[in-house]
């Protein structure tokens, strides 16, 4: 499954996942976007949310962007 995710790093709301009206997921993370910490936090949170292991969650595009395309293999 492929999803589009909008990441909000350094948020006091996080960790939290919300659905936006356009079908993307908005993910609030406590980790800051420094040295890949936000990407690691995103993978861990999505894995927990979808009930899969972290090794099945891949960031396909947008590694340095707030909008990412993520693949989740069941």
């Amino acid at each position: 499954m492929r999803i589009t995710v909008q990441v909000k790093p350094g948020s006091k709301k996080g960790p939290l996942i919300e659905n936006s009206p356009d079908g993307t997921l908005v993910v609030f993370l406590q980790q800051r976007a420094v040295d890949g910490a936000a990407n690691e936090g995103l993978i861990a949170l999505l894995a927990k949310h979808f009930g899969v292991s972290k090794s099945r969650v891949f960031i396909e595009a947008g590694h340095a962007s707030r909008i990412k395309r993520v693949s989740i293999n069941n």
Side-chain angles (χ1 to χ4, degrees), residues 3 5 9 14 16 18 21 25 28 34 36 39-40 48-49 53-54 60 64 68 73-74:
I3 58 172
V5 177
L16 176 68
E18 293 180 347
L25 292 179
F28 297 89
V34 178
N39 285 340
E40 291 173 16
K48 184 178 178 182
H49 180 74
S53 67
K54 291 189 287 186
E60 292 182 348
K68 303 176 186 302
N73 300 324
N74 293 344

Side-chain angles (χ1 to χ4, degrees), residues 1-2 4 8-9 11 15-16 24 27 33 35 37-39 46 54 56-57 59-60 63 65 73-74:
M1 154 177 40
R2 282 188 179 143
T4 302
K8 303 216 177 201
S11 172
L16 176 68
T24 63
V27 179
D35 295 329
N39 285 340
L46 288 176
K54 291 189 287 186
R56 296 191 176 269
V57 180
I59 299 174
E60 292 182 348
H63 291 277
S65 173
N73 300 324
N74 293 344

